[in-house]
Amino acid sequence: MLIALGIWACEDKSQPVPELDSIVVSPVKSVLMLGETVQFSALIIDKSNSPMETPVVWLTTNDQVATITNVGLLTAVGRGEANVYATIDNVQGMAEILVSTNRRRVL
């Protein structure tokens, strides 16, 4: 009986650590005017297809077009195109933005 209690006490009762699978960024595409802002969000999904609560690192591919804060708030600062990335380790999610001086209709 003591052996059984010893084995039970030594069992690993911790939950398995979820393993990151993908990041989905939304909105996926945005058309903005100069000075406009948009709040991006990231859905982090683990290998079992469940959401995870993990902070991401935000960046844009062109700081002359758009800047983004560490909470995903993007500001259009210049005309052009850029990609927005949410990153954790080597996993990324991406969105596209277009900053224009003319409002265009997107079909």
Side-chain angles (χ1 to χ4, degrees):
M1 177 129 175
L2 287 177
I3 293 173
L5 284 174
I7 293 172
W8 178 79
C10 292
E11 284 183 30
D12 184 11
K13 295 175 185 67
S14 62
Q15 296 291 332
V17 176
E19 190 177 343
L20 176 64
D21 183 55
S22 60
I23 302 171
V24 179
V25 175
S26 63
V28 174
K29 292 185 180 186
S30 295
V31 178
L32 304 168
M33 299 289 289
L34 285 174
E36 284 187 320
T37 61
V38 63
Q39 179 66 56
F40 282 89
S41 63
L43 174 62
I44 297 96
I45 301 170
D46 69 14
K47 298 258 185 212
S48 66
N49 207 29
S50 297
M52 297 173 62
E53 291 294 325
T54 306
V56 298
V57 174
W58 293 100
L59 63 93
T60 66
T61 56
N62 190 340
D63 290 343
Q64 302 299 311
V65 173
T67 59
I68 194 161
T69 67
N70 61 347
V71 294
L73 182 63
L74 181 132
T75 302
V77 296
R79 196 169 156 220
E81 297 178 23
N83 292 331
V84 175
Y85 288 98
T87 305
I88 301 172
D89 297 329
N90 61 347
V91 179
Q92 291 184 324
M94 186 195 82
E96 299 174 344
I97 63 155
L98 172 67
V99 179
S100 178
T101 54
N102 300 328
R103 181 57 75 183
R104 295 187 207 179
R105 219 187 256 186
V106 178
L107 302 176

